[in-house]
Amino acid sequence: MKQPKHLNFLWDVFILAATSFGGPQVHWALFLKRLVHQKAYLTEDELFEIQALCSVLPGPTSTQMITAIGLKRGGAGLAYLTLLVWITPAVFIMTAAAFGMTYLRNRSILQFVLPVGIGLILYAGWTMAKKVIRSPMYVFIFLLTLALGIAFTSPYIFPLVLVLGGSISSLNFKEFPRQNKHKMVIPWANFNLYWGMLLGLAIIGHLTDYFPIRLLENFYRNGSIVFGGGQVLAPVLYTEFVEFKGLIRSDDFLTGMALSQSLPGPVFALTSYLGVLLMQDYGFLGELAGSAIGALGVFLPGTFLIFFVYRIWGQLKQYRFIRASLAGIQASSVGLTIVAVYAFMSPLIVNGDGVSIAVVMASFLLAQTEKVPAIAVFILALVAGFILA
């Protein structure tokens, strides 16, 4: 059988980018259906292997998966094209949404967007918890993460608790079967590019104090440390840009978060939306640059890592503690998601905002039914806000 052309593969990636709702768990099933069963670009075992690899890494899991498939099929060139095609629809929509927010004057239209966003985060945390909190050890990791996340509001606590969760879970390595070990052979080029850019942006941003550079460093750093997908990235960015630095309004942020979770493709496209809002003082072209900075900053580190780790994954799996640490990282990710719910809900409870609290619970229950799309709940919140504005 004649091998499909790369153009055909990229077209299938675009179709997935335009139709893949639901986050990494749903994306994986759609990749299996279209790329494996329908088009035979790779086997089931190969997809399972890539999925396991990307679950271990920080960054956008779905994006890393489909980039790795492009890398496997056509090398680095096709991998970068795959990344570009996969993120473009969501980045375009989130950029357009941010321009709409820039010129929105009647903020009361957004009054129900915040509680809807909280309800969606709560649902994401609940869904993750049912999958990964499977024993007393993971309950302990979850509660420890929750306590530390609430006690310390600095964005730097997030990577620390993820490392802590993985370290605790790695002690459970004896439950994993042994594998025959062989000498590690490691090509360091892409890893050096990964950490070199992280360090270089931090140094240049500090020396120049140039806001676009510092912004790129912020997004690159967060893209380098976030495990668990967009539902974990959102609270990390909220802590940094809303609570810690006060650069974005809470209602603006939650609008973008709710929209990003309602769109097909990568939830990490939220950073393009935030980039536009953060660059408002630089004019129209500056806002467009902000969108690009947000996308490049958050997607590049995961891409560099998948290029590096994909070539050594078979060697890393031989160590049981690495396989054992994954579940602890996932449990910590659940804890960070609930920390976000706590941060968002606290002002509503303190202010006695019963209507917003009711909207939170209604959004959570609607999401639980899985019969009402998230985009429908988001649109309903905007319509209700417009009517009552």
Side-chain angles (χ1 to χ4, degrees):
M1 179 182 295
K2 185 178 180 180
Q3 288 295 317
K5 300 292 186 182
H6 290 336
L7 187 60
N8 293 338
F9 172 74
L10 292 173
W11 173 250
D12 286 314
V13 171
F14 177 77
I15 295 298
L16 286 168
T19 59
S20 296
F21 294 85
Q25 294 78 15
V26 178
H27 293 171
W28 176 85
L30 294 173
F31 293 171
L32 180 66
K33 179 179 179 181
R34 188 172 190 91
L35 301 181
V36 175
H37 294 160
Q38 293 181 0
K39 297 303 180 74
Y41 291 124
L42 69 169
T43 66
E44 283 192 6
D45 287 343
E46 289 170 337
L47 182 64
F48 295 156
E49 193 85 351
I50 290 173
Q51 192 272 338
L53 164 61
C54 295
S55 296
V56 178
L57 299 177
T61 303
S62 302
T63 302
Q64 289 170 317
M65 284 180 64
I66 205 159
T67 302
I69 295 170
L71 180 62
K72 177 180 176 58
R73 285 197 55 79
L78 182 60
Y80 281 117
L81 286 174
T82 300
L83 170 67
L84 182 63
V85 172
W86 168 250
I87 70 174
T88 293
V91 167
F92 176 80
I93 295 173
M94 293 304 298
T95 301
F99 277 108
M101 290 299 301
T102 301
Y103 302 106
L104 185 64
R105 295 291 176 259
N106 188 357
R107 297 282 170 169
S108 60
I109 293 174
L110 307 175
Q111 60 184 299
F112 298 120
V113 169
L114 172 61
V116 165
I118 298 171
L120 293 176
I121 293 179
L122 182 60
Y123 170 69
W126 173 253
T127 302
M128 291 171 64
K130 290 189 294 183
K131 295 180 180 296
V132 305
I133 309 296
R134 303 186 301 269
S135 73
M137 171 183 284
Y138 304 122
V139 172
F140 171 74
I141 293 172
F142 164 75
L143 293 176
L144 180 62
T145 301
L146 191 62
L148 292 174
I150 291 174
F152 302 97
T153 58
S154 169
Y156 300 103
I157 194 64
F158 290 96
L160 295 179
V161 296
L162 289 169
V163 170
L164 180 60
S167 299
I168 295 172
S169 179
S170 69
L171 300 176
N172 207 29
F173 69 93
K174 291 184 179 180
E175 293 189 3
F176 291 77
R178 293 180 181 272
Q179 293 185 358
N180 293 329
K181 293 183 174 62
H182 49 81
K183 184 179 179 180
M184 294 279 291
V185 179
I186 303 176
W188 290 104
N190 282 291
F191 184 72
N192 291 335
L193 184 60
Y194 162 77
W195 72 260
M197 189 166 179
L198 179 64
L199 182 61
L201 287 173
I203 293 173
I204 295 172
H206 177 74
L207 293 177
T208 65
D209 199 32
Y210 185 49
F211 183 71
I213 296 295
R214 291 192 290 114
L215 189 60
L216 180 60
E217 185 276 329
N218 288 163
F219 285 126
Y220 190 93
R221 169 168 41 83
N222 284 306
S224 300
I225 62 176
V226 170
F227 291 82
Q231 67 271 21
V232 177
L233 176 70
V236 172
L237 295 179
Y238 184 90
T239 299
E240 176 151 354
F241 291 121
V242 179
E243 294 183 332
F244 197 63
K245 296 179 178 177
L247 296 175
I248 298 178
R249 294 169 55 109
S250 176
D251 54 355
D252 286 352
F253 185 98
L254 267 294
T255 298
M257 187 205 68
L259 180 59
S260 69
Q261 295 183 342
S262 305
L263 294 176
V267 177
F268 275 51
L270 168 66
T271 57
S272 287
Y273 170 94
L274 299 179
V276 173
L277 297 185
L278 289 163
M279 292 284 287
Q280 289 182 38
D281 293 341
Y282 291 79
F284 177 76
L285 292 179
E287 291 171 326
L288 284 179
S291 172
I293 287 170
L296 289 174
V298 81
F299 286 114
L300 277 182
T303 302
F304 294 151
L305 279 178
I306 196 63
F307 274 48
F308 167 63
V309 180
Y310 182 74
R311 297 181 174 92
I312 62 171
W313 175 236
Q315 304 176 75
L316 290 174
K317 289 188 305 178
Q318 65 188 327
Y319 299 104
R320 293 186 289 172
F321 76 92
I322 289 181
R323 285 176 280 151
S325 67
L326 175 59
I329 292 171
Q330 292 172 333
S332 289
S333 295
V334 176
L336 292 177
T337 303
I338 303 305
V339 168
V341 174
Y342 170 83
F344 297 147
M345 285 290 289
S346 294
L348 302 181
I349 296 173
V350 170
N351 296 330
D353 191 347
V355 173
S356 293
I357 294 173
V359 173
V360 171
M361 299 313 300
S363 301
F364 171 72
L365 293 174
L366 281 174
Q368 284 274 53
T369 66
E370 298 184 352
K371 294 181 179 179
V372 181
I375 186 64
V377 181
F378 173 72
I379 292 173
L380 183 61
L382 286 177
V383 171
F386 180 79
I387 293 173
L388 299 176

